[in-house]
């Protein structure tokens, strides 16, 4: 096995009494686009800042290509950061901003000039080299910050919500561009975000964090289709959650009995026992509406959102289930009315059993 | 179509509306006049003495009671007065050297207090503003006692030390405010880009602090230029500064020469203070 680009071993960070990062273990492969995803205050930015060297570790170790760097000061680490608010030096031109890291490394002037020009061309900002940062738009500043980091050819590029300050349209465009750029330069990216869609769009793998801990690491599809906790299921996309007890086990096919004794069919790759209290997670788009079905309820709310129609169905025990149906034809949304009795069906493989 | 032509009553109504509007705007104008007048009086109270001072520096008569004609002779007298010349020289020596020393020390204190954590920080914080809140007269006596105690002869050196003592605080507070608005983001970015602490300071922190440092220095210079109380207590023979000299001159009699001198000092303060404020504001914008 190859040495990971970055490895975190039992990393803990306390701020006074507050535990910001609680025993994080992580291996990030070379050339990977890796995202740290979680709500604000989950410790994702602190984790990133510890890799950058801007925060000291309370305990644990960080390895960069197998070499311990936990005690190395930030300026000696071959990693660079794109900061959330770009942190461009306002007293220097764009060109001097990008050249900063190379100047610190005492690279010959000729080469600095060449590499700065290349980096600015790469982010399509070659014409603005003589401007000052305050003469640039947010999107332009973002690109300069990217060039300023990438020009040093770091072993790992750290990005702290770099698109957070941009408007939606620009953010979407930059997501694609960033992903392409990463594939082009082949540098390992560690990307911090609280935007699940952003993480799903760009990442090779995602680590979902909450309260200083990593809950799940996996490819976007794996995280979305097989969340291992209710938190992950809730955080990544919309989800429904049913509670019940295991009533029958047949290999990976599990029957779960809800409180009103309705039996729902689900699937689990975890080992569960009969009688065990479990939860069942099912995504709104994986449920089909019919006149009768596995679970029955009545339509409480119909929300038309153009591409889809969203139905909120109330079950007998008052649990609300959201169902999403694609509007395949123009009258699809008129199929059911409020108060209609409906049945819900799904492929058991799409309903995930979670231990409580 | 007919109902579109205004009827007679309608026209009367319109005229009444017009009159009412006219009355309301008249009242408004009156109110405006009153408040403008009031503001004008306040400003007159503030600035009339200054204007009189300046005007009478060009008065031919020795006495400030009558205007007898325009002249520049008091300025000529002023420039020929070698005592004033010597005092001006002393003032500039004191102001320049105390500004340089207090700017360096004040900036270092500001950086230390703002960027580093240490146990005695609250004490240092509190002590920093002491020279600003201590009455000048108390500070003057303290310094005088101190110089006597260490048996230092009063002269230019003691004035400079005294001015450094009160200027440090002003410089430190102004530079510190600038530092606080800068935050640590720029310094973190520099260290992320391989700059060690020394390089980070000279390449990033210091250039960004310059407006604050210059603002602080100008402020210190202005304070030093016109300090009387502390200077009076800490000066010795031959080390008279301009403000001390002026007070001495007024003891004998007030001549328009003093007006002329005050006018020149007024002009220098009026250029320095806005310059200092402008530097600080420009720093805030970048």
């Amino acid at each position: 096995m190859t040495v990971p680009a970055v490895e975190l071993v039992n990393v803990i960070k306390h701020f006074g009494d507050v535990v910001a990062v609680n025993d994080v273990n992580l291996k990030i492969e070379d050339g990977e686009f890796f995202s740290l995803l979680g709500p604000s205050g989950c410790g994702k930015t602190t984790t990133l800042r510890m890799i950058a060297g801007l925060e000291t570790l309370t305990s644990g170790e960080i390895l960069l290509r197998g070499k311990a760097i936990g005690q190395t000061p930030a300026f000696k680490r071959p990693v660079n950061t794109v900061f959330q608010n770009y942190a461009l030096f306002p007293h220097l031109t764009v060109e001097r901003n990008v050249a900063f890291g190379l100047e610190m490394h005492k690279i010959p002037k000729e080469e600095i000039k060449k590499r700065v020009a290349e980096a600015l061309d790469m982010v399509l900002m070659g014409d603005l080299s003589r401007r000052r940062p305050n003469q640039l738009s947010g999107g332009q500043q973002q690109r300069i910050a990217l060039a300023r980091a990438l020009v040093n050819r770091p072993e790992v590029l750290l990005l702290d919500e770099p698109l957070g300050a941009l408007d939606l349209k620009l953010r979407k465009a930059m997501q694609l561009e960033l992903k392409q750029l990463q594939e082009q330069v082949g540098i390992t990216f560690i990307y911090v975000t609280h935007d699940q869609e952003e993480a799903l769009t760009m990442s090779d793998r995602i680590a979902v964090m909450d309260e200083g801990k990593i809950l799940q690491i996996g490819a976007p599809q794996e995280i979305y289709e097989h969340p291992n906790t209710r938190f992950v299921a809730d955080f990544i996309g919309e989800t429904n959650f049913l509670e019940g007890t295991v009533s029958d086990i047949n290999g990976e096919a599990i029957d779960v009995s809800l409180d009103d004794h309705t039996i729902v069919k689900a699937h689990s790759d975890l080992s569960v026992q009969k009688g065990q209290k479990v939860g069942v997670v099912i995504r709104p788009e994986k449920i089909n509406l019919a006149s009768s079905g596995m679970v029955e309820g009545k339509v409480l709310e119909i929300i038309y959102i153009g591409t889809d129609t969203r139905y909120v169905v109330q079950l007998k025990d008052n649990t609300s289930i959201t169902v999403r149906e694609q509007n395949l034809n123009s009258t699809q949304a008129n199929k059911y009315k409020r108060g209609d009795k409906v049945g819900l069906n799904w492929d058991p493989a799409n309903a995930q059993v979670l231990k409580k | 179509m007919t109902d579109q032509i205004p009827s007679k009553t309608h026209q009367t109504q319109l005229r009444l509306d017009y009159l009412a509007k006219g009355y309301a705007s008249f009242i408004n104008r009156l109110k405006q006049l009153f408040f403008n007048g009031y503001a004008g009086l306040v400003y007159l109270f503030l600035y009339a003495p200054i204007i009189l001072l300046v005007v009478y520096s060009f008065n031919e008569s020795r006495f400030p009671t009558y205007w007898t004609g325009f002249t520049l002779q008091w300025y000529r007298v002023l420039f020929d007065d070698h005592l004033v010349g010597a005092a001006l020289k002393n003032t500039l020596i004191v102001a320049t050297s105390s500004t340089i020393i207090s700017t360096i020390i004040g900036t270092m204190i500001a950086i230390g207090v703002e960027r580093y954590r240490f146990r005695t920080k609250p004490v240092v914080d509190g002590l920093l503003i002491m020279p600003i809140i201590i009455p000048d007269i108390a500070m003057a006596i303290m310094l005088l006692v101190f110089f006597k105690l260490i048996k230092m002869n009063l002269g230019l050196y003691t004035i400079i030390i005294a001015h450094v003592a009160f200027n440090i605080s002003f410089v430190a507070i102004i530079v510190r405010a600038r530092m606080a608005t800068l935050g640590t983001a720029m310094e973190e970015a520099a260290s992320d880009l391989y700059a060690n602490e020394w390089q980070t300071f000279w390449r990033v922190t210091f250039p960004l602090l310059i407006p604050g440092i210059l603002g602080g220095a100008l402020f210190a210079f202005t304070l030093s230029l016109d300090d009387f109380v502390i200077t009076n207590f800490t000066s010795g023979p031959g080390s008279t500064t301009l403000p001390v000299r002026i007070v001495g001159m007024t003891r004998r009699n007030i001549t328009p020469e003093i007006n002329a001198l005050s006018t020149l000092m007024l002009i220098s303060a009026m250029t320095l203070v806005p310059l200092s404020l402008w530097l600080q504001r420009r720093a805030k914008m970048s």
Side-chain angles (χ1 to χ4, degrees), chain A residues 19-23 38-43 209-215 231:
Chain A
V19 185
V21 174
N22 191 0
D23 199 16
S40 57
C42 73
M209 289 186 74
D210 186 40
E211 294 181 344
K213 280 187 173 294
I214 291 184
L215 299 179
F231 180 87

Side-chain angles (χ1 to χ4, degrees), chain A residues 56-57 60-62 68-74 77:
Chain A
T56 54
L57 282 75
E61 187 55 89
I62 294 174
I69 56 159
Q71 304 304 318
T72 311
R77 297 189 189 191

Side-chain angles (χ1 to χ4, degrees), chain A residues 189-221:
Chain A
F189 275 33
I190 304 180
Y191 193 97
V192 159
T193 182
H194 64 267
D195 183 337
Q196 46 103 5
E197 200 185 315
E198 199 165 282
L200 290 175
T201 314
M202 298 197 282
S203 320
D204 294 319
R205 281 195 307 153
I206 300 170
V208 183
M209 289 186 74
D210 186 40
E211 294 181 344
K213 280 187 173 294
I214 291 184
L215 299 179
Q216 189 171 6
I217 303 177
Q221 194 180 349

Side-chain angles (χ1 to χ4, degrees), chain B residues 104-117:
Chain B
I104 294 171
I105 302 177
T107 302
M108 281 171 21
I109 292 176
I111 293 166
V113 174
E114 191 61 32
R115 280 292 178 271
Y116 297 95
R117 287 162 183 233

Side-chain angles (χ1 to χ4, degrees), chain B residues 27-211:
Chain B
I27 290 291
N28 272 340
R29 215 170 298 162
L30 213 62
K31 268 191 207 161
Q32 217 171 12
L33 214 65
F34 175 76
F35 284 117
N36 284 352
Y38 179 73
L41 281 175
V42 171
Y43 273 82
L44 194 68
F45 175 72
L46 285 174
Y47 286 100
I50 297 176
I51 293 165
L52 277 179
L53 173 99
V54 175
V55 168
Y56 275 94
S57 73
F58 298 106
N59 188 7
E60 244 184 341
S61 162
R62 278 198 72 81
F63 307 102
T65 3
Y66 301 106
W67 177 263
T68 51
F70 179 84
T71 179
L72 286 173
Q73 66 154 321
W74 301 113
Y75 286 88
R76 205 169 311 123
V77 170
L78 180 68
F79 289 125
D80 290 342
D81 188 334
H82 69 274
L83 285 176
V84 168
L88 177 67
K89 197 177 139 201
N90 284 340
T91 303
L92 290 178
I93 291 172
V94 169
T96 311
S97 33
S98 75
T99 298
I100 293 171
I101 299 169
S102 58
T103 301
I104 294 171
I105 302 177
T107 302
M108 281 171 21
I109 292 176
I111 293 166
V113 174
E114 191 61 32
R115 280 292 178 271
Y116 297 95
R117 287 162 183 233
F118 45 93
R119 237 173 348 132
T120 52
K121 188 168 168 169
V123 181
V124 174
D125 254 356
L127 287 179
L128 200 56
I129 56 161
M130 280 303 266
I132 293 175
I133 49 177
I134 291 178
D136 272 6
I137 188 74
M139 188 140 171
I141 292 166
M142 272 158 36
L143 284 161
L144 178 63
V145 171
F146 172 72
F147 291 135
K148 290 287 175 203
L149 207 68
I150 62 166
K151 299 201 166 56
M152 198 166 173
N153 288 328
L154 297 180
L156 276 184
Y157 289 110
T158 48
I159 304 176
I160 292 171
I161 293 171
H163 283 209
V164 167
F166 67 75
N167 273 340
I168 283 178
S169 298
F170 287 98
V171 174
I173 282 168
I174 291 171
V175 175
R176 205 180 156 187
R178 170 72 182 151
M179 262 203 121
T181 51
L182 274 182
T184 54
M186 294 299 147
E187 292 172 357
E188 285 185 347
S191 71
D192 186 66
L193 292 164
Y194 322 126
N196 60 32
E197 272 192 69
W198 187 250
Q199 289 166 320
T200 300
F201 180 77
W202 288 111
R203 296 268 193 147
V204 176
T205 318
F206 183 69
L208 292 174
L209 280 185
I210 284 176

